[in-house]
Each structure stands twice: as structure tokens, then as C-alpha cells.
Amino acid sequence: MTLYNKLVRDKIPEIIRENGQNCRTRLLGEEEYKLELRRKLGEELNEYREARDDVQAVEELADLLELLHALTDLHGSSPEELESVRKRKADKRGGFRDRIFLLETEDAEK
């Protein structure tokens, strides 16, 4: 028997059974769900950081996006609202496409 003790995608138990294995699961309460979503976000971020190529990186980014959607829902919002907030912030402060790396700042002399 292999112990996992982690949040998994909704269809994973079904996939496990289709592969001829048994599994035990339980449903999480809201606070535990929030904690496990955050933990899973860290796990998937680490997997993205360790991606060996672009294909694997995009797979991990898709997992991160799925988690962001779940967390957005948990916080009473929607993926559409999340995108609206993202766009508003990008319009106001810019994105990250220009590759700007801030070295330091200094108070301007008056």
C-alpha cells in the first residue's frame, strides 16, 4: 500500500479504480481544503521549477492554473474576475514581458 495523504484532482480515484487498484479517500472541510490547496500550489510550483523542457513546463503551468481557479472559487470569485483583476493590474503597473530586472533605487536629490 502506498500512502499519499494529499489533495488530488477529482477524477483520480476513478482512474485508480479503472487501473484495477483500490483507494481510500475522504472529503475535506473548507479550512482543510484551503490549506491543502495552498500546499498543492507549492508542490506544483516546485514541479514547474524542476521542469526539464518546455512541454513539461506547460503541463505544470496548466496544473498551477487549475489550482488558481480552485483557489479563486474558494475566495468567492471566478476565473473571469481573476483575469479582470490581472488585466487591471497589468494596465496600471505593466506585466513581466519586458524582462526588466530592478537593481536598486535611490532617493532623488531635491
Side-chain angles (χ1 to χ4, degrees), residues 9 44 56-68:
R9 287 175 175 264
E44 294 299 338
Q56 188 178 15
V58 170
E59 286 287 323
E60 298 307 331
L61 288 171
D63 290 342
L64 285 165
L65 186 57
E66 190 66 36
L67 284 161
L68 290 174

Side-chain angles (χ1 to χ4, degrees), residues 4-13 16 25 28 40:
Y4 288 96
N5 289 322
K6 68 178 188 175
L7 183 65
V8 295
R9 287 175 175 264
D10 299 338
K11 294 184 179 181
I12 294 300
I16 290 170
T25 63
L28 301 174
K40 189 73 172 179

Side-chain angles (χ1 to χ4, degrees), residues 2-71:
T2 304
L3 293 177
Y4 288 96
N5 289 322
K6 68 178 188 175
L7 183 65
V8 295
R9 287 175 175 264
D10 299 338
K11 294 184 179 181
I12 294 300
E14 178 184 331
I15 292 167
I16 290 170
R17 286 189 287 277
E18 287 173 356
N19 287 330
Q21 296 178 296
N22 294 317
C23 65
R24 287 185 338 130
T25 63
R26 70 181 177 88
L27 297 180
L28 301 174
E30 188 156 338
E31 286 305 310
E32 193 176 16
Y33 177 54
K34 184 186 290 187
L35 175 69
E36 292 300 324
L37 278 172
R38 290 175 182 211
R39 182 174 292 148
K40 189 73 172 179
L41 188 65
E43 175 188 324
E44 294 299 338
L45 181 57
N46 285 337
E47 289 178 10
Y48 167 74
R49 288 177 175 152
E50 295 170 3
R52 294 181 306 274
D53 55 38
D54 290 340
V55 172
Q56 188 178 15
V58 170
E59 286 287 323
E60 298 307 331
L61 288 171
D63 290 342
L64 285 165
L65 186 57
E66 190 66 36
L67 284 161
L68 290 174
H69 285 185
L71 283 161

